[in-house]
Amino acid sequence: MSQEYQELQARKRKWIPLACAGKCTIAQAAKEIGITARSVSRLKVRYHTVGANIFINGHTGKAYQRKKFSNKKRLEICSIYKTHWGNTNFATFRDRLEQYHNTKISTPTLTKILNNNNIISPKWRGPKKEKKKHLPRKERPCTGELLQLDASEHDWLMNGEKITLHGAVDDATHEPTGLYFCRNECRLGYSEVLRQTLTLQGKPEAVYIDRHAAFVKNQRKDGKTQEERLAYSKEEQTHWTEICKEMKTDIILALSPEAKGRIERFWETLQGRLPPLLRFLGIDTIEKANAFMPEYIKMYKDRFAVPPQDKKSRFKPTNMTDDELEKLLSVKFKKRTRWNGEFIFHGFLFHLEAARAACQDFTLCLSEKTGIRAFMNGKFYPVTLKEPLTDCAGDPMPQVEKDLIARYLLKSTRDNTCSFGVAV
Protein backbone atom coordinates (compact mmCIF):
# COMPACT_ATOMS: atom_id res chain seq x y z
CA MET A 1 0.00 0.00 0.00
CA SER A 2 1.58 3.29 -1.09
CA GLN A 3 2.34 6.23 1.22
CA GLU A 4 0.08 8.48 -0.84
CA TYR A 5 -2.89 6.12 -0.42
CA GLN A 6 -2.33 5.89 3.36
CA GLU A 7 -2.29 9.69 3.66
CA LEU A 8 -5.55 9.93 1.66
CA GLN A 9 -7.26 7.43 3.96
CA ALA A 10 -6.02 9.35 7.01
CA ARG A 11 -7.55 12.59 5.73
CA LYS A 12 -10.86 10.78 5.12
CA ARG A 13 -10.87 9.42 8.71
CA LYS A 14 -10.39 12.97 10.02
CA TRP A 15 -12.77 15.03 7.88
CA ILE A 16 -15.70 12.68 7.01
CA PRO A 17 -16.83 12.37 10.68
CA LEU A 18 -16.59 16.17 11.03
CA ALA A 19 -18.76 16.64 7.92
CA CYS A 20 -21.30 14.14 9.28
CA ALA A 21 -21.40 16.00 12.64
CA GLY A 22 -21.97 19.33 10.88
CA LYS A 23 -18.68 20.81 12.06
CA CYS A 24 -17.57 21.55 8.50
CA THR A 25 -19.26 21.88 5.12
CA ILE A 26 -19.05 19.31 2.32
CA ALA A 27 -17.05 21.77 0.23
CA GLN A 28 -14.52 22.29 3.07
CA ALA A 29 -14.13 18.52 3.60
CA ALA A 30 -13.67 17.95 -0.13
CA LYS A 31 -10.95 20.63 -0.29
CA GLU A 32 -9.05 19.26 2.72
CA ILE A 33 -9.25 15.62 1.62
CA GLY A 34 -8.52 16.32 -2.07
CA ILE A 35 -11.62 14.66 -3.57
CA THR A 36 -14.84 15.95 -5.14
CA ALA A 37 -17.84 17.17 -3.17
CA ARG A 38 -19.91 14.39 -4.73
CA SER A 39 -17.50 11.78 -3.34
CA VAL A 40 -17.78 13.36 0.13
CA SER A 41 -21.58 13.12 -0.09
CA ARG A 42 -21.36 9.40 -0.92
CA LEU A 43 -18.93 8.77 1.94
CA LYS A 44 -21.27 10.61 4.36
CA VAL A 45 -24.17 8.31 3.42
CA ARG A 46 -22.01 5.20 3.87
CA TYR A 47 -20.57 6.54 7.17
CA HIS A 48 -24.07 6.95 8.62
CA THR A 49 -24.79 3.32 7.60
CA VAL A 50 -21.67 1.33 8.55
CA GLY A 51 -19.56 3.81 10.52
CA ALA A 52 -15.76 3.76 10.46
CA ASN A 53 -15.72 0.43 8.56
CA ILE A 54 -15.89 2.41 5.32
CA PHE A 55 -12.20 3.22 5.75
CA ILE A 56 -11.18 -0.48 5.81
CA ASN A 57 -10.45 -2.23 2.51
CA GLY A 58 -12.99 -4.98 1.83
CA HIS A 59 -10.26 -7.54 1.05
CA THR A 60 -8.39 -6.95 4.33
CA GLY A 61 -7.93 -10.23 6.23
CA LYS A 62 -9.28 -12.38 3.40
CA ALA A 63 -7.33 -15.14 1.68
CA TYR A 64 -5.94 -14.44 -1.79
CA GLN A 65 -8.57 -15.19 -4.43
CA ARG A 66 -7.34 -17.97 -6.70
CA LYS A 67 -7.74 -17.76 -10.47
CA LYS A 68 -10.96 -19.30 -11.74
CA PHE A 69 -9.13 -21.17 -14.51
CA SER A 70 -6.03 -23.16 -13.66
CA ASN A 71 -3.00 -23.24 -15.94
CA LYS A 72 -4.05 -26.72 -17.07
CA LYS A 73 -7.53 -25.49 -18.01
CA ARG A 74 -6.06 -22.51 -19.86
CA LEU A 75 -3.83 -24.78 -21.93
CA GLU A 76 -6.84 -27.01 -22.61
CA ILE A 77 -8.82 -24.02 -23.94
CA CYS A 78 -5.94 -23.10 -26.25
CA SER A 79 -5.73 -26.70 -27.46
CA ILE A 80 -9.48 -26.78 -28.22
CA TYR A 81 -9.14 -23.60 -30.25
CA LYS A 82 -6.19 -24.87 -32.29
CA THR A 83 -7.73 -28.32 -32.86
CA HIS A 84 -11.39 -27.53 -33.61
CA TRP A 85 -11.95 -23.78 -33.95
CA GLY A 86 -8.90 -22.33 -35.68
CA ASN A 87 -9.45 -19.05 -37.52
CA THR A 88 -12.62 -18.37 -35.47
CA ASN A 89 -13.16 -14.97 -33.87
CA PHE A 90 -12.99 -15.03 -30.08
CA ALA A 91 -16.61 -13.98 -29.40
CA THR A 92 -17.84 -16.90 -31.51
CA PHE A 93 -15.34 -19.28 -29.86
CA ARG A 94 -16.70 -18.24 -26.44
CA ASP A 95 -20.22 -19.30 -27.50
CA ARG A 96 -18.97 -22.60 -28.92
CA LEU A 97 -17.00 -23.39 -25.73
CA GLU A 98 -20.20 -23.12 -23.73
CA GLN A 99 -22.31 -24.95 -26.32
CA TYR A 100 -20.06 -27.89 -27.21
CA HIS A 101 -17.26 -28.05 -24.61
CA ASN A 102 -19.11 -27.30 -21.33
CA THR A 103 -16.89 -24.29 -20.51
CA LYS A 104 -18.41 -20.96 -19.55
CA ILE A 105 -16.03 -18.00 -19.78
CA SER A 106 -16.21 -14.27 -20.45
CA THR A 107 -14.90 -12.86 -23.71
CA PRO A 108 -12.26 -10.58 -22.05
CA THR A 109 -10.87 -13.49 -20.01
CA LEU A 110 -10.85 -15.76 -23.05
CA THR A 111 -9.08 -13.09 -25.11
CA LYS A 112 -6.42 -12.67 -22.42
CA ILE A 113 -5.82 -16.43 -22.21
CA LEU A 114 -5.48 -16.84 -25.98
CA ASN A 115 -3.32 -13.73 -26.44
CA ASN A 116 -0.97 -14.87 -23.67
CA ASN A 117 -0.47 -18.05 -25.70
CA ASN A 118 0.33 -16.13 -28.89
CA ILE A 119 -3.11 -16.71 -30.48
CA ILE A 120 -4.39 -13.61 -32.27
CA SER A 121 -8.01 -13.14 -33.30
CA PRO A 122 -8.59 -13.25 -37.08
CA LYS A 123 -10.81 -10.18 -36.63
CA TRP A 124 -7.85 -8.10 -35.47
CA ARG A 125 -6.43 -6.02 -38.29
CA GLY A 126 -4.45 -3.41 -36.36
CA PRO A 127 -5.36 0.29 -36.22
CA LYS A 128 -8.17 1.18 -38.61
CA LYS A 129 -8.89 4.41 -40.38
CA GLU A 130 -12.00 6.17 -39.22
CA LYS A 131 -14.80 5.45 -41.67
CA LYS A 132 -17.50 7.80 -42.75
CA LYS A 133 -20.41 7.34 -40.41
CA HIS A 134 -23.84 6.50 -41.77
CA LEU A 135 -26.87 7.12 -39.63
CA PRO A 136 -28.69 3.78 -39.29
CA ARG A 137 -32.26 3.59 -40.51
CA LYS A 138 -34.74 2.87 -37.76
CA GLU A 139 -36.21 -0.63 -37.75
CA ARG A 140 -39.78 -1.19 -38.85
CA PRO A 141 -41.90 -1.67 -35.71
CA CYS A 142 -43.71 -4.90 -36.72
CA THR A 143 -42.50 -8.27 -37.92
CA GLY A 144 -43.40 -8.98 -41.54
CA GLU A 145 -43.50 -5.29 -42.40
CA LEU A 146 -40.19 -5.43 -44.33
CA LEU A 147 -37.82 -8.23 -45.35
CA GLN A 148 -34.31 -7.55 -46.64
CA LEU A 149 -33.11 -10.12 -49.21
CA ASP A 150 -29.55 -10.62 -50.37
CA ALA A 151 -26.90 -13.27 -51.07
CA SER A 152 -23.29 -13.68 -49.96
CA GLU A 153 -20.56 -15.51 -51.88
CA HIS A 154 -17.99 -16.94 -49.45
CA ASP A 155 -15.95 -20.04 -48.61
CA TRP A 156 -18.75 -21.23 -46.33
CA LEU A 157 -17.62 -24.88 -46.18
CA MET A 158 -13.94 -23.90 -45.66
CA ASN A 159 -12.79 -26.12 -48.53
CA GLY A 160 -11.39 -23.41 -50.79
CA GLU A 161 -14.52 -23.25 -52.98
CA LYS A 162 -16.83 -20.24 -52.83
CA ILE A 163 -20.56 -20.89 -52.81
CA THR A 164 -23.50 -18.54 -52.28
CA LEU A 165 -25.81 -18.33 -49.29
CA HIS A 166 -29.17 -16.68 -50.00
CA GLY A 167 -31.03 -15.15 -47.09
CA ALA A 168 -33.88 -12.96 -45.87
CA VAL A 169 -33.78 -10.91 -42.65
CA ASP A 170 -36.79 -9.45 -40.86
CA ASP A 171 -36.19 -5.72 -40.41
CA ALA A 172 -37.98 -5.55 -37.04
CA THR A 173 -36.17 -8.38 -35.23
CA HIS A 174 -32.92 -8.77 -37.28
CA GLU A 175 -33.52 -12.54 -37.44
CA PRO A 176 -33.32 -14.61 -40.65
CA THR A 177 -36.59 -15.99 -41.99
CA GLY A 178 -34.86 -18.24 -44.55
CA LEU A 179 -31.36 -19.39 -45.59
CA TYR A 180 -30.42 -21.48 -48.62
CA PHE A 181 -27.13 -22.46 -50.30
CA CYS A 182 -26.57 -22.59 -54.07
CA ARG A 183 -23.42 -22.63 -56.17
CA ASN A 184 -24.11 -19.08 -57.36
CA GLU A 185 -26.63 -16.29 -56.76
CA CYS A 186 -29.79 -17.20 -58.68
CA ARG A 187 -33.58 -17.09 -58.74
CA LEU A 188 -33.81 -20.68 -57.52
CA GLY A 189 -31.97 -19.78 -54.29
CA TYR A 190 -34.18 -16.78 -53.59
CA SER A 191 -37.29 -18.87 -54.32
CA GLU A 192 -36.25 -21.39 -51.66
CA VAL A 193 -35.65 -18.60 -49.13
CA LEU A 194 -39.11 -17.28 -49.90
CA ARG A 195 -40.56 -20.81 -49.56
CA GLN A 196 -39.15 -21.06 -46.02
CA THR A 197 -40.56 -17.63 -45.16
CA LEU A 198 -44.03 -18.38 -46.55
CA THR A 199 -44.16 -21.79 -44.87
CA LEU A 200 -43.03 -20.71 -41.39
CA GLN A 201 -44.10 -17.04 -41.24
CA GLY A 202 -46.37 -15.92 -44.08
CA LYS A 203 -46.41 -13.24 -46.79
CA PRO A 204 -44.43 -10.07 -45.97
CA GLU A 205 -45.80 -6.60 -46.71
CA ALA A 206 -42.63 -5.46 -48.52
CA VAL A 207 -39.23 -6.76 -49.61
CA TYR A 208 -36.00 -4.73 -49.86
CA ILE A 209 -33.79 -6.00 -52.69
CA ASP A 210 -30.89 -4.86 -54.87
CA ARG A 211 -30.73 -4.74 -58.66
CA HIS A 212 -29.27 -8.19 -59.21
CA ALA A 213 -30.26 -10.04 -62.39
CA ALA A 214 -32.29 -12.46 -60.24
CA PHE A 215 -34.67 -9.58 -59.48
CA VAL A 216 -34.58 -7.10 -62.38
CA LYS A 217 -33.47 -6.96 -65.99
CA ASN A 218 -30.02 -5.44 -66.26
CA GLN A 219 -30.50 -3.95 -69.69
CA ARG A 220 -28.80 -0.65 -70.50
CA LYS A 221 -31.00 2.36 -69.83
CA ASP A 222 -29.09 5.04 -71.73
CA GLY A 223 -29.84 8.69 -71.10
CA LYS A 224 -31.53 8.12 -67.72
CA THR A 225 -30.49 9.17 -64.23
CA GLN A 226 -29.98 6.66 -61.44
CA GLU A 227 -33.39 7.46 -59.92
CA GLU A 228 -35.07 7.11 -63.35
CA ARG A 229 -33.39 3.74 -63.92
CA LEU A 230 -34.57 2.64 -60.49
CA ALA A 231 -38.16 3.65 -61.24
CA TYR A 232 -37.94 1.91 -64.62
CA SER A 233 -36.68 -1.30 -62.97
CA LYS A 234 -39.70 -1.32 -60.66
CA GLU A 235 -42.06 -1.38 -63.66
CA GLU A 236 -40.26 -4.22 -65.50
CA GLN A 237 -42.07 -7.54 -65.54
CA THR A 238 -39.75 -10.28 -64.23
CA HIS A 239 -40.15 -13.59 -62.45
CA TRP A 240 -39.67 -11.82 -59.13
CA THR A 241 -42.15 -9.01 -59.80
CA GLU A 242 -44.77 -11.61 -60.78
CA ILE A 243 -44.27 -13.44 -57.47
CA CYS A 244 -44.54 -10.22 -55.44
CA LYS A 245 -47.58 -9.07 -57.41
CA GLU A 246 -49.39 -12.32 -56.73
CA MET A 247 -48.50 -12.09 -53.00
CA LYS A 248 -49.49 -8.37 -52.96
CA THR A 249 -46.02 -7.57 -51.62
CA ASP A 250 -44.36 -4.20 -52.32
CA ILE A 251 -40.86 -4.08 -53.83
CA ILE A 252 -38.23 -1.58 -52.63
CA LEU A 253 -35.05 -1.40 -54.74
CA ALA A 254 -31.79 -0.32 -53.12
CA LEU A 255 -29.37 2.03 -54.89
CA SER A 256 -26.32 0.88 -52.86
CA PRO A 257 -25.24 -1.84 -50.36
CA GLU A 258 -25.32 0.77 -47.56
CA ALA A 259 -29.04 1.23 -48.14
CA LYS A 260 -29.71 -2.28 -46.84
CA GLY A 261 -26.95 -2.25 -44.24
CA ARG A 262 -28.84 -4.51 -41.81
CA ILE A 263 -28.46 -7.60 -43.98
CA GLU A 264 -24.90 -6.59 -44.94
CA ARG A 265 -23.96 -6.65 -41.24
CA PHE A 266 -25.84 -9.94 -40.96
CA TRP A 267 -23.51 -11.45 -43.59
CA GLU A 268 -20.46 -10.16 -41.72
CA THR A 269 -21.67 -11.91 -38.58
CA LEU A 270 -22.38 -15.18 -40.39
CA GLN A 271 -19.05 -15.21 -42.24
CA GLY A 272 -17.28 -15.15 -38.87
CA ARG A 273 -19.50 -17.68 -37.09
CA LEU A 274 -21.05 -20.14 -39.55
CA PRO A 275 -18.04 -21.64 -41.46
CA PRO A 276 -16.16 -22.86 -38.32
CA LEU A 277 -19.39 -24.38 -37.01
CA LEU A 278 -20.03 -26.25 -40.28
CA ARG A 279 -16.44 -27.53 -40.21
CA PHE A 280 -16.76 -28.66 -36.56
CA LEU A 281 -20.01 -30.54 -37.29
CA GLY A 282 -18.51 -32.24 -40.36
CA ILE A 283 -20.88 -30.54 -42.82
CA ASP A 284 -18.96 -30.51 -46.11
CA THR A 285 -21.62 -30.44 -48.87
CA ILE A 286 -24.28 -27.98 -49.97
CA GLU A 287 -27.02 -30.57 -49.34
CA LYS A 288 -25.91 -31.16 -45.73
CA ALA A 289 -25.57 -27.41 -45.16
CA ASN A 290 -29.11 -26.74 -46.41
CA ALA A 291 -30.45 -29.49 -44.14
CA PHE A 292 -28.74 -27.79 -41.17
CA MET A 293 -30.01 -24.26 -41.92
CA PRO A 294 -33.40 -24.55 -40.10
CA GLU A 295 -31.56 -25.51 -36.90
CA TYR A 296 -29.03 -22.72 -37.36
CA ILE A 297 -31.80 -20.14 -37.83
CA LYS A 298 -33.11 -21.11 -34.37
CA MET A 299 -29.58 -20.83 -32.91
CA TYR A 300 -29.13 -17.38 -34.46
CA LYS A 301 -32.52 -16.21 -33.22
CA ASP A 302 -31.76 -17.26 -29.63
CA ARG A 303 -28.41 -15.45 -29.72
CA PHE A 304 -29.01 -12.26 -31.70
CA ALA A 305 -32.72 -11.58 -32.35
CA VAL A 306 -34.23 -8.47 -30.76
CA PRO A 307 -37.90 -8.06 -29.78
CA PRO A 308 -40.01 -5.98 -32.18
CA GLN A 309 -41.21 -2.56 -31.08
CA ASP A 310 -44.81 -3.63 -31.79
CA LYS A 311 -45.89 -7.21 -31.02
CA LYS A 312 -48.45 -7.16 -33.85
CA SER A 313 -47.31 -9.25 -36.82
CA ARG A 314 -47.77 -7.95 -40.36
CA PHE A 315 -47.18 -11.35 -41.99
CA LYS A 316 -50.26 -12.39 -44.01
CA PRO A 317 -51.40 -16.04 -44.09
CA THR A 318 -50.19 -17.93 -47.17
CA ASN A 319 -53.43 -19.94 -47.73
CA MET A 320 -52.05 -21.86 -50.71
CA THR A 321 -52.06 -25.55 -51.64
CA ASP A 322 -48.74 -27.33 -52.28
CA ASP A 323 -49.25 -27.14 -56.06
CA GLU A 324 -50.17 -23.44 -55.92
CA LEU A 325 -47.11 -22.67 -53.80
CA GLU A 326 -44.90 -24.73 -56.10
CA LYS A 327 -46.18 -22.94 -59.20
CA LEU A 328 -45.71 -19.54 -57.52
CA LEU A 329 -42.08 -20.15 -56.53
CA SER A 330 -40.86 -22.09 -59.57
CA VAL A 331 -38.69 -20.40 -62.17
CA LYS A 332 -41.03 -20.44 -65.18
CA PHE A 333 -40.44 -20.55 -68.94
CA LYS A 334 -43.16 -20.42 -71.61
CA LYS A 335 -42.75 -23.35 -74.06
CA ARG A 336 -44.56 -25.16 -76.88
CA THR A 337 -44.13 -28.80 -77.88
CA ARG A 338 -43.58 -30.16 -81.38
CA TRP A 339 -45.84 -32.71 -83.08
CA ASN A 340 -44.12 -35.55 -81.13
CA GLY A 341 -44.24 -33.87 -77.69
CA GLU A 342 -40.60 -32.77 -77.75
CA PHE A 343 -39.33 -29.27 -77.01
CA ILE A 344 -36.03 -27.40 -76.80
CA PHE A 345 -34.76 -25.89 -73.55
CA HIS A 346 -31.39 -24.06 -73.52
CA GLY A 347 -30.36 -25.93 -76.66
CA PHE A 348 -31.14 -29.43 -75.29
CA LEU A 349 -33.97 -31.75 -76.34
CA PHE A 350 -36.68 -32.71 -73.80
CA HIS A 351 -39.99 -34.59 -74.00
CA LEU A 352 -43.26 -33.77 -72.25
CA GLU A 353 -44.71 -36.94 -70.65
CA ALA A 354 -48.45 -36.37 -71.11
CA ALA A 355 -51.28 -38.21 -72.91
CA ARG A 356 -51.82 -35.32 -75.31
CA ALA A 357 -48.47 -33.59 -75.64
CA ALA A 358 -48.45 -32.70 -79.37
CA CYS A 359 -48.33 -28.98 -80.19
CA GLN A 360 -49.27 -27.88 -76.67
CA ASP A 361 -48.48 -24.58 -74.93
CA PHE A 362 -47.23 -25.13 -71.37
CA THR A 363 -45.08 -23.63 -68.61
CA LEU A 364 -41.78 -25.29 -67.77
CA CYS A 365 -41.21 -24.98 -64.00
CA LEU A 366 -37.81 -25.33 -62.29
CA SER A 367 -37.64 -25.75 -58.52
CA GLU A 368 -35.00 -26.84 -56.02
CA LYS A 369 -37.65 -28.91 -54.24
CA THR A 370 -39.31 -30.80 -57.12
CA GLY A 371 -36.84 -30.44 -59.98
CA ILE A 372 -38.07 -29.74 -63.51
CA ARG A 373 -41.74 -30.27 -64.47
CA ALA A 374 -44.30 -29.04 -66.99
CA PHE A 375 -47.46 -27.20 -65.87
CA MET A 376 -50.36 -27.56 -68.30
CA ASN A 377 -54.14 -27.29 -67.90
CA GLY A 378 -53.88 -26.88 -64.12
CA LYS A 379 -51.66 -29.98 -63.57
CA PHE A 380 -47.97 -30.81 -63.32
CA TYR A 381 -46.48 -33.35 -65.76
CA PRO A 382 -43.02 -34.97 -65.79
CA VAL A 383 -40.47 -34.36 -68.52
CA THR A 384 -37.56 -36.47 -69.80
CA LEU A 385 -34.19 -35.48 -71.23
CA LYS A 386 -33.74 -37.01 -74.70
CA GLU A 387 -30.00 -36.41 -75.14
CA PRO A 388 -26.90 -36.38 -72.91
CA LEU A 389 -26.36 -33.19 -70.94
CA THR A 390 -22.84 -32.11 -71.89
CA ASP A 391 -20.66 -29.03 -71.45
CA CYS A 392 -19.53 -27.32 -74.62
CA ALA A 393 -18.34 -23.92 -75.84
CA GLY A 394 -21.18 -21.41 -76.00
CA ASP A 395 -23.47 -23.62 -73.91
CA PRO A 396 -26.44 -21.37 -72.93
CA MET A 397 -27.66 -23.39 -69.93
CA PRO A 398 -26.59 -21.97 -66.52
CA GLN A 399 -24.65 -24.35 -64.27
CA VAL A 400 -27.23 -24.12 -61.48
CA GLU A 401 -29.91 -25.46 -63.86
CA LYS A 402 -27.59 -28.24 -65.06
CA ASP A 403 -27.05 -29.28 -61.45
CA LEU A 404 -30.81 -29.29 -60.93
CA ILE A 405 -31.40 -31.51 -63.97
CA ALA A 406 -28.55 -33.81 -62.94
CA ARG A 407 -30.21 -34.39 -59.55
CA TYR A 408 -33.70 -35.06 -60.87
CA LEU A 409 -33.23 -36.49 -64.37
CA LEU A 410 -31.14 -39.68 -64.15
CA LYS A 411 -29.70 -41.33 -67.24
CA SER A 412 -31.19 -44.65 -68.34
CA THR A 413 -28.55 -47.18 -69.39
CA ARG A 414 -30.92 -48.79 -71.93
CA ASP A 415 -32.05 -45.90 -74.12
CA ASN A 416 -29.68 -43.12 -72.99
CA THR A 417 -32.62 -40.94 -71.91
CA CYS A 418 -33.42 -39.49 -68.49
CA SER A 419 -36.46 -40.13 -66.29
CA PHE A 420 -37.95 -37.60 -63.87
CA GLY A 421 -38.58 -37.88 -60.16
CA VAL A 422 -35.59 -39.55 -58.47
CA ALA A 423 -33.02 -37.48 -56.58
CA VAL A 424 -29.41 -38.48 -56.03
Side-chain angles (χ1 to χ4, degrees):
M1 191 178 298
S2 67
Q3 181 68 25
E4 183 180 354
Y5 178 77
Q6 292 179 2
E7 292 175 355
L8 175 64
Q9 291 300 100
R11 292 195 297 271
K12 288 181 180 179
R13 290 190 185 95
K14 176 182 178 180
W15 290 98
I16 294 301
L18 294 177
C20 291
K23 296 181 179 180
C24 70
T25 64
I26 292 178
Q28 290 174 336
K31 182 178 180 181
E32 295 295 335
I33 298 173
I35 58 178
T36 64
R38 185 175 180 83
S39 296
V40 173
S41 299
R42 292 198 194 99
L43 290 171
K44 280 183 63 178
V45 173
R46 293 177 59 197
Y47 187 83
H48 284 303
T49 305
V50 298
N53 288 333
I54 66 170
F55 306 120
I56 302 175
N57 192 299
H59 293 287
T60 302
K62 294 184 179 180
Y64 175 72
Q65 185 179 6
R66 298 180 60 187
K67 292 181 179 180
K68 184 175 181 180
F69 298 99
S70 64
N71 290 334
K72 181 180 179 181
K73 184 64 176 178
R74 290 166 180 254
L75 292 175
E76 180 185 342
I77 290 173
C78 294
S79 177
I80 292 174
Y81 182 87
K82 293 178 180 178
T83 305
H84 302 291
W85 301 101
N87 202 35
T88 304
N89 66 72
F90 292 171
T92 301
F93 180 47
R94 186 204 70 82
D95 293 344
R96 302 299 174 241
L97 274 175
E98 183 176 352
Q99 185 176 7
Y100 295 107
H101 303 282
N102 197 28
T103 301
K104 192 171 184 178
I105 186 173
S106 68
T107 302
T109 301
L110 177 62
T111 301
K112 187 175 181 180
I113 291 174
L114 295 176
N115 287 343
N116 288 342
N117 286 270
N118 299 320
I119 299 176
I120 306 299
S121 172
K123 295 283 286 185
W124 189 83
R125 296 291 184 271
K128 296 181 179 179
K129 295 182 180 179
E130 185 176 354
K131 295 183 179 179
K132 182 180 178 181
K133 296 182 179 179
H134 295 271
L135 292 177
R137 177 182 53 80
K138 291 184 178 180
E139 300 96 337
R140 296 293 179 93
C142 301
T143 58
E145 194 170 346
L146 178 67
L147 291 188
Q148 294 191 22
L149 280 84
D150 197 18
S152 173
E153 186 183 42
H154 187 66
D155 184 12
W156 294 104
L157 302 179
M158 301 189 78
N159 59 3
E161 179 185 359
K162 289 187 177 181
I163 58 176
T164 301
L165 178 58
H166 302 72
V169 174
D170 190 286
D171 194 70
T173 60
H174 305 182
E175 66 181 65
T177 60
L179 292 172
Y180 196 82
F181 284 101
C182 283
R183 293 200 177 275
N184 55 273
E185 187 174 358
C186 60
R187 291 180 290 176
L188 290 169
Y190 285 114
S191 292
E192 290 307 305
V193 168
L194 191 56
R195 182 195 304 278
Q196 296 175 27
T197 304
L198 294 176
T199 302
L200 300 178
Q201 304 280 355
K203 300 176 183 178
E205 282 192 349
V207 291
Y208 206 165
I209 58 177
D210 56 21
R211 290 172 292 166
H212 187 268
F215 300 123
V216 299
K217 296 178 181 177
N218 287 330
Q219 299 174 345
R220 289 185 175 273
K221 304 175 180 65
D222 297 330
K224 295 182 181 294
T225 64
Q226 192 174 31
E227 288 74 14
E228 289 174 339
R229 291 198 301 269
L230 187 64
Y232 183 77
S233 296
K234 289 182 179 180
E235 298 175 359
E236 290 178 327
Q237 292 299 315
T238 64
H239 166 252
W240 186 257
T241 57
E242 290 175 1
I243 290 178
C244 292
K245 184 177 180 180
E246 188 166 343
M247 294 192 304
K248 297 181 180 179
T249 297
D250 295 330
I251 296 177
I252 302 174
L253 288 175
L255 288 171
S256 65
E258 291 81 8
K260 47 187 181 63
R262 194 150 291 127
I263 196 168
E264 297 294 343
R265 289 189 292 273
F266 170 77
W267 291 133
E268 184 179 358
T269 301
L270 254 64
Q271 288 176 7
R273 302 178 71 89
L274 182 56
L277 178 60
L278 296 178
R279 180 183 61 186
F280 177 77
L281 297 176
I283 297 175
D284 54 3
T285 65
I286 290 179
E287 291 73 22
K288 292 180 181 178
N290 282 328
F292 176 66
M293 283 303 98
E295 181 180 348
Y296 185 75
I297 289 176
K298 295 178 182 178
M299 292 171 56
Y300 188 94
K301 179 179 179 179
D302 294 339
R303 179 69 174 84
F304 292 108
V306 299
Q309 301 172 31
D310 191 335
K311 293 184 179 180
K312 181 181 178 181
S313 175
R314 295 289 186 89
F315 281 110
K316 296 168 284 188
T318 305
N319 295 332
M320 300 176 73
T321 64
D322 291 342
D323 280 350
E324 289 173 340
L325 182 61
E326 194 60 42
K327 185 175 184 296
L328 172 70
L329 298 178
S330 296
V331 178
K332 295 178 278 290
F333 301 87
K334 296 293 183 181
K335 292 292 178 181
R336 181 176 177 84
T337 59
R338 299 172 176 174
W339 63 271
N340 56 357
E342 295 178 349
F343 63 94
I344 300 294
F345 178 59
H346 281 317
F348 293 94
L349 188 63
F350 291 81
H351 186 269
L352 172 61
E353 299 296 325
R356 296 181 179 178
C359 302
Q360 292 288 334
D361 292 318
F362 68 98
T363 302
L364 188 66
C365 299
L366 275 68
S367 166
E368 283 284 325
K369 182 179 180 181
T370 58
I372 176 170
R373 296 188 296 176
F375 186 82
M376 183 174 63
N377 299 327
K379 295 182 180 180
F380 281 105
Y381 294 91
V383 299
T384 55
L385 180 63
K386 303 300 292 184
E387 61 180 348
L389 197 63
T390 58
D391 293 320
C392 60
D395 187 354
M397 181 176 289
Q399 185 61 44
V400 65
E401 294 179 7
K402 286 186 178 181
D403 293 341
L404 187 69
I405 292 173
R407 290 202 304 271
Y408 287 92
L409 304 181
L410 298 180
K411 287 187 178 180
S412 169
T413 56
R414 185 170 61 183
D415 57 7
N416 197 32
T417 61
C418 298
S419 58
F420 171 83
V422 184
V424 293

